[in-house]
Amino acid sequence: ASDLIIPAAAAKLGDRKLNDAAVELLLELCSAVGPSRVLQNVWSATQKTRSVMTLQGVVAFASKVVEDFSATALDLTGIVDFLRVSAD
């Protein structure tokens, strides 16, 4: 079920009105299914977006996940790959 919710929430990370709710939902999912899985799904859902606001929201969300769950709980190669693809 989380695989259906995450892309919809990820799309709202650039929305000024819904960003806070999307971040809160995604953080709760991180607690339930693990931060690496959530981040991987967020990256997959937003990989082709060109919206600067959405990309900023994704990076801010990833930063929050690192703060809350520590970098040791994450697949850092996934973070690097997402940033590399987004920069192209």
Side-chain angles (χ1 to χ4, degrees):
S2 66
D3 293 338
L4 298 174
I5 296 169
I6 294 170
K12 299 304 177 189
L13 289 174
D15 187 307
R16 291 184 178 152
K17 292 182 181 178
L18 298 176
N19 180 63
D20 291 344
V23 168
E24 188 174 327
L25 172 64
L26 290 169
L27 288 173
E28 289 297 325
L29 287 170
C30 285
S31 295
V33 299
S36 288
R37 181 173 175 185
V38 172
L39 279 175
Q40 189 62 41
N41 283 319
V42 167
W43 295 322
S44 294
T46 58
Q47 185 173 10
K48 294 182 180 177
T49 188
R50 292 294 173 215
S51 166
V52 174
M53 295 296 291
T54 300
L55 294 174
Q56 287 175 339
V58 171
V59 171
F61 171 68
S63 175
K64 180 75 172 146
V65 170
V66 170
E67 284 178 28
D68 290 0
F69 295 93
S70 84
T72 59
L74 303 173
D75 173 20
L76 295 179
T77 58
I79 294 172
V80 172
D81 289 342
F82 174 78
L83 294 173
R84 185 179 320 127
V85 169
S86 297
D88 289 342

